[in-house]
Amino acid sequence: MKGKYFISISNSKVKYEFSIKRNITVIQGDSATGKTTLVDMIREFEQNGADSGINLSSKKKCRVLEGNSWEENLSLMNDSIIFIDEGNRFVESADFAKAVKNSGNYYVIVTREGLDNLPYSIEEIYGIHISGKYADLKQVYHEFYRIYGNNNFNDCRIEKIITEDSNSGFDFFNAVCGGKIICESANGKSNIFKKLLQAKNEAVLAIADGAAFGSQMNLVGELLNKRENLFLFAPESFEWLILQSDILNDNEVKKILENPENYIESKDYFSWEQYFTKLLMEKTSNTFLNYSKKKINPNYLTENVKRKILTSDALKIIWESMTGKNRN
């Protein structure tokens, strides 16, 4: 399943309208914000159709998954948008993660907890915004979370960078730091919080793959809101940064990046970062920029290539902070 889907569901009391575009969407928020009402309406329409008094518009079938028989029921669902209300603890299990990975469905999961086994994007975490009788999904986090949310970032010179991985992404940023700025690897997304927590007074920037960092945002987001010297840069992935910098000058890549959801089949890619890695490897195969995720190709560290990546829109604000340019 791939693509972006608009869903509209309403009864005489409330109307929900929203779009989803990835295999995993998370809805969070406090009680009485309409999360369970949404799932209840989906369930009632699934069971009783128009007789329920509910109007549902969606190009894909909407289903509700719940209870102890979830695995058996899920095996009968395909090419559907599946809603799961909070309280269904199976969403935290490795078995559920395996089932999601191998299915051709999209999942909308209501939960207040981080789901460590699922690689969901920080861009696909929503709360429900209600205005009168109308409700829609309101994005909780943004791709450049905290960098653009903090008005003081441009006045702050970064003193340490922490990268999520220890492979090509770390190699690149470590080379960029050149010993002038400390660069460390967290050796995995689950260690980012601990690394940030250990920071004292220095300005620290964590760089993570936003496409799969959603489960960490409850802890990390709360910490960032408390500490003015901590920042998070969470683009889709390091490979996405390279692709969007246009060093490949490839028209097909440009078209894909405009609407990735139209190209990324959920059954083949657990998260978008996997797709961007494969795309970059395919596009650079047998070229001087041949990409390896394990270790950076030295050609990415040449001055022209490195500068083009760093001064692209996604990284420009970080580059300026590291070099001290355009500071007030």
Side-chain angles (χ1 to χ4, degrees):
M1 188 169 169
K2 59 186 175 182
K4 184 176 182 178
Y5 299 96
F6 175 76
I7 299 170
S8 175
I9 183 168
S10 62
N11 58 20
S12 59
K13 296 181 179 180
V14 66
K15 181 176 184 178
Y16 295 86
E17 290 186 335
F18 55 93
S19 295
I20 60 174
K21 63 180 182 180
R22 304 199 198 207
N23 60 331
I24 303 170
T25 299
V26 168
I27 301 177
Q28 64 181 31
D30 297 329
S31 300
T33 55
K35 307 184 305 297
T36 295
T37 299
L38 170 63
V39 179
D40 287 344
M41 290 171 65
I42 297 288
R43 182 192 300 106
E44 191 170 349
F45 183 85
E46 182 183 2
Q47 294 174 349
N48 301 310
D51 291 340
S52 64
I54 293 170
N55 296 311
L56 173 62
S57 175
S58 173
K59 288 185 178 180
K60 295 292 182 179
K61 191 167 186 178
C62 294
R63 311 285 300 272
V64 173
L65 183 67
E66 57 192 345
N68 294 331
S69 300
W70 71 267
E71 200 162 3
E72 179 182 355
N73 294 333
L74 181 56
S75 68
L76 303 175
M77 301 177 183
N78 187 49
D79 200 38
S80 302
I81 300 172
I82 298 175
F83 291 76
I84 305 171
D85 201 1
E86 59 186 334
N88 288 285
R89 308 304 296 183
F90 64 80
V91 298
E92 301 173 16
S93 70
D95 287 339
F96 178 68
K98 182 178 179 181
V100 171
K101 183 177 181 180
N102 296 324
S103 79
N105 302 304
Y106 278 9
Y107 296 83
V108 180
I109 304 172
V110 177
T111 179
R112 302 183 202 188
E113 307 297 328
L115 303 175
D116 290 337
N117 288 316
L118 295 176
Y120 55 98
S121 169
I122 68 171
E123 289 192 343
E124 305 309 324
I125 302 175
Y126 296 89
I128 293 181
H129 173 257
I130 299 176
S131 177
K133 66 178 293 186
Y134 295 95
D136 58 10
L137 299 189
K138 182 179 181 182
Q139 197 174 45
V140 176
Y141 304 112
H142 301 278
E143 181 180 326
F144 303 104
Y145 181 73
R146 186 61 170 169
I147 286 181
Y148 292 135
N150 188 318
N151 293 328
N152 296 322
F153 185 83
N154 283 325
D155 298 325
C156 178
R157 184 73 175 268
I158 293 299
E159 297 170 281
K160 178 188 287 187
I161 287 179
I162 299 170
T163 66
E164 175 184 336
D165 69 74
S166 58
N167 300 313
S168 290
F170 169 75
D171 290 343
F172 178 83
F173 287 107
N174 190 42
V176 168
C177 290
K180 298 179 181 178
I181 298 174
I182 299 171
C183 186
E184 298 178 354
S185 169
N187 292 307
K189 65 183 179 183
S190 62
N191 294 321
I192 291 286
F193 173 77
K194 182 170 65 176
K195 285 283 189 179
L196 289 174
L197 191 62
Q198 292 171 347
K200 296 182 179 179
N201 297 320
E202 71 268 38
V204 179
L205 171 70
I207 302 177
D209 292 339
F213 199 69
S215 64
Q216 307 302 309
M217 285 307 298
N218 283 350
L219 283 174
V220 173
E222 184 178 351
L223 181 62
L224 295 179
N225 287 331
K226 293 178 179 178
R227 302 271 297 274
E228 294 184 354
N229 62 316
L230 303 181
F231 306 91
L232 173 68
F233 178 55
E236 296 284 353
S237 69
F238 177 62
E239 292 77 20
W240 177 87
L241 284 173
I242 295 174
L243 290 166
Q244 64 82 45
S245 71
D246 199 27
I247 60 174
L248 304 184
N249 192 27
D250 187 302
N251 288 330
E252 183 183 22
V253 169
K254 294 176 184 178
K255 185 176 180 181
I256 290 172
L257 293 181
E258 288 177 359
N259 300 105
E261 63 273 13
N262 293 333
Y263 300 87
I264 303 177
E265 173 57 57
S266 63
K267 193 171 185 177
D268 297 331
Y269 302 97
F270 204 10
S271 73
W272 281 16
E273 62 174 325
Q274 295 176 342
Y275 175 82
F276 292 127
T277 298
K278 184 179 180 182
L279 179 63
L280 180 59
M281 292 177 70
E282 289 178 346
K283 288 294 184 178
T284 59
S285 178
N286 298 319
T287 73
F288 80 104
L289 289 174
N290 183 51
Y291 181 76
S292 168
K293 190 172 183 67
K294 188 173 182 180
K295 187 175 180 60
I296 196 71
N297 178 339
N299 289 318
Y300 285 95
L301 303 179
T302 60
E303 195 60 31
N304 288 339
V305 174
K306 184 172 64 175
R307 184 171 292 276
K308 193 163 187 179
I309 294 173
L310 288 169
T311 55
S312 62
D313 289 343
L315 272 173
K316 186 176 181 180
I317 190 170
I318 293 176
W319 175 243
E320 291 174 352
S321 180
M322 289 172 61
T323 58
K325 294 180 179 179
N326 296 335
R327 292 174 64 201
N328 295 327

